[in-house]
């Protein structure tokens, strides 16, 4: 929790200090001008700004909670990117404005005094409101990234309280702080934190389908780093760096940090050497003082207290008598308006049915509020009352069959779970992150046919399919060892025509083992790695394997140039064959790969991106399809018992894609992807897309769910 609290503490401290300085300057300016009677107008604007920020946070939380899982990812990702933009602008603005802040606000207050009470309220509201909205947005994104709200809220609260104490001390001349140095130091730290929030937001956009590349991982240390270890929690909580990150996340993180931090540091150095113009002798003492830089350790531009006798430092213009009204009317109105608007959005802006039940989700209150619903399609408002993110399932307590589920329900948030209820018994199972699964008391629903539920899958259920698929991979690797040895011998003997044919045969064998790529660990990069991320591209020393040999065979390289890459390929395949029996093959990978293998096919092979000159991407796609068919074969019994209609649809889709691929295969050659006519390419992409859509439920149907 405390790891998640630090980013929010820093934003609360920094934004709180900014807002506090602004309020201090507003108050001091009015006191010096002899206009203490106008102070309620300042506090009215400040309270209105606070109410607006809190209401904005409530609307964000409610809006996200009422969306589907995919829409939540897209919504949260978009707001994370916006929050990063606001924080970046705030950091640079405060670096530039720390010294001149007092003068700017005094000028605005002076103008507002001349224009009446309403303008003073508006001035203070706008001055503080921006800080409040930025704070609400950034706190919401950091809490969502943390997966819990307690830590971020505690951190922000401590930061704001500390900021208030610092501002009081500055106002009363108890403390002296060099604000320029303070905002420079915190700005640098916030830039690092914002880089992590940007990466997290882009990952959300990938998960929500807005951006591509959600399976293109640049870093995957999940097998070698314990995500629950203290150091993992610390790094993820403070910097939003996770063991698994996509290329988009890594590039965005590094690019943002490199560009923004460079500009920030350059601006700090420029400001440090910029000469300060001395005040002209003819200026009044007060003007000359404001033009001088702040003394070391003294906050620049801080307001000066009135004289001890209470008289203003300069003669103030007498105020015109104002019509008297109750002092509480304006503050109450401006504070209530944003709260009422937010309440109206929450009350009437959602789609909560009148009879929807609100059900608690936590270790202590799992299922609280659940009563026997009526048969039919029902919406349940699942509210996480605990302090941990949680998964929640609507189950049949006798068989553990799942009727509906929500994953990643953050603390303090509410989301809809829609399920069709019929005759039978129902209960809730709450599975908090890092906690023990809890099952609620069951209720009985009478009437209607039996409800449709998914029987959960355990590791034991996947044991037999996993064993069968391992045997398939072992056989494939044995064949592959012989094929790559033949390929290496062809090249060593100078027979490049035979090597081209043998290359395709071997590569198709490897492509048909797609469900095991994650298990192959580093061997996959060595055997089938691409040039993405390599500084020297096809000339890079780390460009090895099938695609390196492909490039040489179809770009005129000699047998002597290719002998070493081909021999290394054969060695790596042999090493993989020896290592595979001892490698950890996660059974959960089997249902995931039914979709992911062809997803990669659509992304790389059917676009031609992976082609290094052979023009055989459709042959690789054909091998990927064969591998998917094999994988579905070992999973078929589990799928048939859970969704009888799924397999006939998928089988028909596979036949359709197979016919389209066969039409591009002529004797020993394959039509290159870029040579397909527009209609044929569109049909192939469309058929593959439809197959992927029909395969999409497989990971959910065969997901290993925690039951105890």
């Amino acid at each position: 929790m405390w790891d998640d609290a630090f980013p929010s503490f820093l934003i609360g401290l920094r934004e709180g200090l900014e807002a506090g300085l602004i309020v201090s300057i507003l108050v001091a300016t009015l006191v010096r001008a002899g206009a203490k009677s106008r102070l309620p107008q300042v506090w009215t604007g400040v309270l209105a700004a606070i109410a607006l920020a809190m209401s904005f946070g409530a609307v964000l939380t409610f809006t996200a909670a009422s969306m589907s899982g995919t829409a939540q990812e897209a919504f949260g990702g978009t707001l994370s990117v916006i929050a990063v933009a606001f924080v970046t602008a705030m950091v640079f603005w405060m670096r530039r404005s720390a010294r001149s802040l007092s003068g700017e606000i005094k000028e605005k207050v002076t103008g507002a005094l001349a224009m009446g009470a309403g303008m003073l309220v508006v001035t203070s509201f706008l001055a503080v409101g921006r800080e409040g909205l930025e704070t609400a947005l950034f706190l919401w994104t950091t809490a969502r990234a943390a997966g819990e709200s307690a830590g971020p809220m505690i951190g922000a609260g401590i930061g704001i309280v500390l900021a208030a104490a610092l501002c009081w001390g500055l106002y009363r001349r108890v403390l002296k702080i060099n604000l320029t140095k303070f905002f420079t130091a915190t700005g640098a730290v916030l830039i690092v934190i914002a880089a992590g929030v940007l990466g997290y937001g882009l990952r959300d956009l990938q998960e929500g389908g807005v951006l591509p590349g959600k399976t293109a991982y640049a870093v995957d240390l999940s097998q070698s780093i314990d995500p629950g270890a203290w150091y993992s929690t610390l790094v993820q909580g403070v910097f939003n760096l996770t063991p698994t990150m996509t290329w988009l996340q890594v590039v965005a993180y590094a690019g943002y940090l490199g560009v923004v931090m460079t500009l920030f540091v350059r601006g700090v150095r420029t400001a440090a050497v910029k000469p300060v113009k001395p005040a002209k002798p003819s200026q009044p003492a007060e003007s000359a003082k404001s033009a001088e830089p702040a003394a070391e350790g003294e906050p620049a531009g801080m307001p000066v207290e009135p004289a001890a006798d209470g008289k203003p430092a300069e003669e103030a213009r007498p105020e015109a008598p104002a019509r008297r009204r109750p002092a509480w009317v304006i503050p109450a109105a401006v504070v209530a308006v944003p709260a009422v608007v937010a309440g109206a959005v929450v009350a009437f802006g959602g789609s909560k049915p009148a009879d929807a039940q609100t059900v608690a989700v936590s270790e202590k209150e799992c299922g609280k509020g659940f009563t026997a619903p009526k048969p039919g399609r029902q919406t349940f408002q699942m509210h996480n009352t605990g302090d941990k993110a949680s998964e929640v399932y609507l189950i049949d307590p006798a068989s553990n069959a799942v009727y509906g589920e929500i994953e990643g329900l953050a603390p303090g948030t509410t989301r809809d779970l829609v399920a069709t209820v019929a005759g039978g018994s129902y209960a809730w199972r709450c599975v908090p992150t890092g906690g023990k699964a809890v099952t609620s008391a069951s209720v009985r629903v009478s009437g209607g046919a039996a409800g449709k539920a998914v029987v959960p899958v355990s590791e034991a259920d996947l044991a037999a399919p996993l064993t069968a698929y391992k045997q398939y991979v072992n056989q494939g690797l044995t064949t592959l060892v012989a094929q790559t040895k033949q390929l290496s011998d062809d090249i060593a003997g100078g027979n490049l025509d035979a090597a081209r044919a043998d290359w395709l045969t071997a590569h198709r064998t490897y492509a048909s083992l797609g469900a095991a790529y994650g298990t192959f660990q580093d061997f996959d990069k060595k055997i089938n790695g691409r040039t993405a991320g390599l500084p020297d591209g096809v000339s890079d020393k780390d460009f090895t394997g099938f695609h390196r040999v492909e490039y040489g065979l179809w770009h005129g390289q000699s047998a002597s140039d290719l002998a070493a890459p081909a021999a290394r390929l054969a060695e790596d395949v042999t090493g993989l064959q020896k290592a595979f029996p001892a490698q950890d093959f996660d059974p959960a990978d089997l249902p995931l790969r039914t979709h992911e293998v062809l997803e990669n096919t659509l992304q790389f092979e059917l676009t031609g991106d992976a082609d290094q000159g052979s023009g055989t991407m459709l042959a690789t796609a054909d091998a990927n399809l064969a591998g998917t068919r094999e994988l579905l074969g070992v999973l078929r019994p589990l799928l048939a018992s859970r969704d009888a209609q799924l397999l006939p649809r998928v089988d028909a889709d596979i036949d359709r894609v197979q016919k389209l691929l066969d039409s591009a295969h002529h004797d020993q050659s394959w039509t290159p992807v870029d040579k397909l006519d527009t209609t044929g390419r569109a049909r192939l992409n469309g058929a593959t897309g439809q197959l992927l859509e029909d395969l999409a439920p497989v990971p959910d149907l065969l997901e290993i769910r925690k039951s105890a």
Side-chain angles (χ1 to χ4, degrees), residues 12 68 114 227 242 313 315 346 353 365 373 446 456 461 466 512 595 613 662 678:
S68 66
T242 58
E315 197 65 31
V346 171
E365 296 183 320
S446 302
D461 295 325
L466 182 61
S512 67
H595 185 272
D662 289 344
T678 303

Side-chain angles (χ1 to χ4, degrees), residues 65 357-361 366-368 370 379-385 392-394 405-406 409-410 412-418 428-430:
Q357 297 184 27
T358 298
V359 182
V361 178
C366 183
K368 183 179 179 180
F370 180 48
T379 299
F380 302 95
Q381 298 277 306
M382 309 308 301
H383 179 63
N384 190 341
T385 59
V392 58
Y393 306 105
L394 179 61
E405 64 184 299
I406 293 177
L409 182 62
T413 61
T414 303
R415 281 165 58 185
D416 287 351
L417 187 151
V418 181
W428 293 102
R429 175 161 293 142
C430 307

